[in-house]
Amino acid sequence: MTTMAQDYSGAAARRHGGREAEIRRHELAAFLRHRREHVTPEQVGLPRGARRRTPGLRREEVAQLAAVGVTWYTWLEQARDIHVSVQVLDALARALMLDQSERVHLFQLAGAVDPAPPMTCPTVSPALRAILEQLEPMPACVQNSRYDILAYNRTYSLLLCDLDAVPREDRNCMVLAYTHEEWRSSIVHLDETTRLMAAKFRASMAGHLASPAWKTLLKRLRAESPDFCEAWDRHEVVGVGTKRKEFRNAYVGRITVDHTDLWLGPDVGPRLVTYVPADAESRERLEKLHAIAGERGVVMA
């Protein structure tokens, strides 16, 4: 009886998975048709022609722009059960001029992971940037779960290094803490801090094991930092939490702050990171640092 019940349950799960896949294919087909019909030839540099009856682009034009076969693309719009690689999805997104939200939707419908995740975070709105500014002279920034620094205020820009001078693609706390000498020299308890960060990064990565962006970051850290390799190979895992931190600032001296994460959604993802001075001396020094940043004309990221 148990075997029969298990067989029935497995068959039901397969039928459910098949129905879901079919629904996805039809939604993907409808989405592609809709977008194709709303892109004009002129927008992609193609001549309109005098006898065009198709609204937007023709299927063969999308296939040409995405460098795929016409028959294959036709099957895709017919919701046939065919494999679609992430490279082809990327090409279609470009050919159909999808914005970031539409691109995300395309990859979700295809059940694929976008190999080129956005550098900007949709949660960094003008209102959130205004909050960063209003928190001055307290250092504050917006980070995602991968430790990318998405936005920051003037005081934070000079807290551990001249962050404005760091290339945007390198503005990641893991990369900076393990490879950037000025950033590392500003952390008073460096070994403890970096080991804890590696443990938090491992805990966060458990939910993103298939993500190309996470795997690329991990590969970079392992290639560029023996210290990271040692910490990573410990397989330690630590959850998120507040912590008192001490920094050795190049402009105003030693600063003690209480680090707090304010989550911007229900998931452990984008967060507003604040550093509240732990004593009067640290507050005074942060005020001086804010003034120095203002004199330098630092602009919020």
Side-chain angles (χ1 to χ4, degrees):
M1 293 295 292
T2 302
T3 302
M4 292 179 61
Q6 290 173 337
D7 290 344
Y8 177 80
S9 176
R14 286 191 295 272
R15 286 196 299 272
H16 175 74
R19 286 196 299 271
E20 181 178 344
E22 184 179 1
I23 292 172
R24 281 180 176 273
R25 290 197 303 272
H26 282 278
E27 287 291 330
L28 176 61
F31 179 64
L32 290 172
R33 287 195 301 271
H34 179 272
R35 290 304 307 139
R36 174 171 61 82
E37 292 169 358
H38 286 77
V39 177
T40 65
E42 292 84 355
Q43 287 178 289
V44 294
L46 295 175
R48 171 168 290 278
R51 302 179 61 183
R52 179 181 293 269
R53 293 190 299 270
T54 304
L57 298 177
R58 299 186 179 100
R59 285 175 175 171
E60 57 267 27
E61 290 171 333
V62 175
Q64 176 188 345
L65 291 168
V68 299
V70 177
T71 300
W72 185 91
Y73 180 74
T74 300
W75 287 350
L76 194 58
E77 281 201 6
Q78 292 173 346
R80 296 203 188 187
D81 189 5
I82 57 176
H83 173 71
V84 189
S85 69
V86 293
Q87 291 81 9
V88 168
L89 290 171
D90 177 67
L92 289 173
R94 296 175 188 276
L96 295 171
M97 304 179 67
L98 303 188
D99 62 25
Q100 187 56 49
S101 296
E102 292 166 338
R103 181 185 175 96
V104 170
H105 187 61
L106 174 70
F107 276 83
Q108 286 178 336
L109 290 177
V113 178
D114 191 345
M119 292 300 296
T120 58
C121 176
T123 54
V124 185
S125 62
L128 185 52
R129 292 181 185 277
I131 291 174
L132 286 172
E133 186 175 0
Q134 291 300 314
L135 286 171
E136 303 277 18
M138 289 189 298
C141 67
V142 177
Q143 296 179 20
N144 59 20
S145 56
R146 203 173 54 240
Y147 285 95
D148 294 322
I149 302 171
L150 308 174
Y152 51 89
N153 62 14
R154 291 177 183 268
T155 312
Y156 187 87
S157 71
L158 294 181
L159 182 63
L160 291 108
C161 74
D162 184 356
L163 194 54
D164 284 349
V166 176
R168 188 174 295 273
E169 63 270 18
D170 293 339
R171 293 177 191 172
N172 174 280
C173 289
M174 293 295 297
V175 172
L176 293 167
Y178 276 101
T179 68
H180 193 283
E181 287 307 315
E182 184 181 356
W183 187 283
R184 288 168 59 83
S185 66
S186 298
I187 301 174
V188 174
H189 305 289
L190 180 63
D191 291 342
E192 176 189 349
T193 298
T194 52
R195 181 177 173 180
L196 182 63
M197 289 178 67
K200 288 184 176 181
F201 183 70
R202 179 178 286 278
S204 297
M205 190 170 179
H208 305 273
L209 294 176
S211 169
W214 284 74
K215 291 191 291 186
T216 298
L217 176 57
L218 177 60
K219 183 179 180 180
R220 176 182 179 179
L221 290 167
R222 291 190 68 92
E224 297 183 9
S225 174
D227 289 343
F228 174 79
C229 292
E230 181 181 350
W232 186 255
D233 291 341
R234 292 175 180 270
H235 289 269
E236 294 177 334
V237 177
V238 175
V240 296
T242 60
K243 185 175 176 60
R244 177 156 293 186
K245 296 187 175 183
E246 294 181 77
F247 300 127
R248 194 182 296 108
N249 185 265
Y251 297 93
V252 298
R254 197 169 179 125
I255 298 172
T256 304
V257 294
D258 289 321
H259 165 276
T260 302
D261 290 323
L262 303 174
W263 305 102
L264 302 179
D267 299 322
V268 183
R271 61 192 181 275
L272 176 64
V273 181
T274 62
Y275 296 89
V276 179
D279 51 59
E281 185 177 36
S282 295
R283 176 175 292 277
E284 181 180 344
R285 291 180 176 178
L286 285 176
E287 290 173 352
K288 291 180 179 178
L289 185 62
H290 176 235
I292 293 171
E295 292 171 359
R296 287 165 51 94
V298 176
V299 179
M300 289 203 314

